[in-house]
Amino acid sequence: IGKMIHYQETVESTQKIAHQLANEGVQEGTLVVAEEQISGKGRLMRSWHSPKFSGIWMSLILRPKIPVHEAPQLTLLAAVAVAQAIEDTTDLKPQIKWPNDILVNRKKVVGILTEMQAESDRIHSVIIGIGMNINQQLEDFPEELQEKASSLFIESGELISRSTVIQRALLRLEHLYDLYLEEGFKPIKDLWESYAISLGQVIRASTVNDTIVGKALGITDAGVLLLEDEKGTVHSIYSADIEIQ
Ligand code: BTN
């Protein structure tokens, strides 16, 4: 992973470039990195604030031979790898909020966006986009984000080398991906649960047309979140915005 790196100072979105490269057939493990994104993309059609030189904006191309419905597992894998890379670099204690926000002291420092290209049930490529807030100061964030978002610098008080974090994240990603290809999702799921912030707690999951409040029971082997509502009905959540109550 990361043997081929496509670097550009300014891009619209590293996701877009990664999609193009994937279509051109570049090798698995190719990474796209930029210093700045003009229109960084977040989950659920949101934008992602990606100012110059202060964060890590990167997209990784994978081509796993797995069925389409198992692709969310890779998002959880990426979240674990990034949490480990944060622990390798700082004394901070990262936690993961389902599916893949990484929080430090309850504030979001990393977002992950996974997109897939597939034909029928065959995956052509999975693009894992990772946005890490590294050296921003609080006033660098737009006002509406200042309560919820943070950076490793704000939380640790230390300026952090972005290239070191990238190296460590790639090492961790490679290790976990090999483990996943050899042993399947189980070891990844166990690791993910050890970082999970909301399991066992009552949370509110908002999807496009519904809101479900319930206790987070855990994740399935496909990476889907299970929520038990007050009537005892268990709901499978594939994609939602999660608020911890
Ligand atoms: C989220 O909404 O939490 C996911 C944010 C993902 C942001 C990253 S930054 C690198 C890659 N390129 C993008 O445009 N988005 C992802």
Side-chain angles (χ1 to χ4, degrees):
I1 285 179
K3 288 207 181 76
M4 282 288 297
I5 297 186
H6 182 104
Y7 168 85
Q8 232 169 294
E9 188 159 308
T10 303
V11 300
E12 258 179 63
S13 158
T14 56
Q15 287 297 95
K16 195 170 164 187
I17 296 176
H19 277 290
Q20 283 161 1
L21 292 174
N23 283 334
E24 289 165 15
V26 291
Q27 71 187 68
E28 177 170 58
T30 298
L31 184 78
V32 180
V33 192
E35 301 286 2
E36 169 187 43
Q37 301 187 109
I38 304 297
S39 46
K41 287 201 301 186
R43 283 175 66 232
L44 310 170
M45 314 280 285
R46 297 197 181 113
S47 61
W48 180 261
H49 184 64
S50 327
K52 209 167 189 173
F53 301 137
S54 50
I56 295 173
W57 326 123
M58 64 184 192
S59 299
L60 177 66
I61 300 168
L62 295 180
R63 302 187 190 282
K65 293 189 175 55
I66 55 171
V68 166
H69 73 271
E70 287 177 5
Q73 297 172 345
L74 292 167
T75 309
L76 304 182
L77 181 156
V80 172
V82 172
Q84 290 176 330
I86 293 174
E87 289 179 321
D88 293 342
T89 322
T90 68
D91 291 329
L92 300 170
K93 290 270 158 281
Q95 290 185 295
I96 306 177
K97 191 177 102 173
W98 185 87
N100 46 23
D101 286 353
I102 298 185
L103 313 186
V104 170
N105 301 324
R106 304 235 155 199
K107 292 191 161 192
K108 177 162 168 175
V109 293
V110 177
I112 301 177
L113 171 71
T114 305
E115 296 175 305
M116 185 173 56
Q117 301 178 335
E119 280 160 47
S120 60
D121 200 33
R122 220 188 113 255
I123 291 182
H124 176 247
S125 58
V126 177
I127 315 278
I128 303 180
I130 302 175
M132 300 184 72
N133 297 329
I134 306 285
N135 288 326
Q136 289 102 322
Q137 310 202 1
L138 197 56
E139 56 270 25
D140 296 336
F141 288 97
E143 217 165 307
E144 66 276 14
L145 294 182
Q146 289 187 3
E147 267 190 17
K148 288 190 167 173
S150 192
S151 72
L152 297 186
F153 170 71
I154 296 169
E155 298 306 319
S156 69
E158 281 167 27
L159 284 172
I160 288 159
S161 150
R162 289 178 301 148
S163 53
T164 305
V165 178
I166 294 176
Q167 271 173 22
R168 295 191 174 149
L170 294 178
L171 270 176
R172 291 295 194 170
L173 278 163
E174 181 160 284
H175 175 79
L176 290 180
Y177 189 53
D178 285 347
L179 182 69
Y180 173 76
L181 295 178
E182 275 165 30
E183 295 182 25
F185 185 52
K186 176 77 173 71
I188 310 297
K189 182 177 180 232
D190 290 346
L191 279 168
W192 188 89
E193 286 179 342
S194 73
Y195 287 99
I197 196 170
S198 46
L199 295 186
Q201 297 183 23
V202 174
I203 63 174
R204 173 190 297 269
S206 310
T207 61
V208 185
N209 30 20
D210 208 1
T211 295
I212 299 166
V213 176
K215 189 163 118 186
L217 298 180
I219 52 172
T220 67
D221 288 342
V224 173
L225 178 68
L226 297 175
L227 270 197
E228 183 182 32
D229 69 18
E230 54 186 16
K231 294 190 194 117
T233 309
V234 176
H235 302 259
S236 302
I237 312 288
Y238 292 85
S239 168
D241 225 6
I242 302 296
E243 263 178 85
I244 303 167
Q245 296 282 289

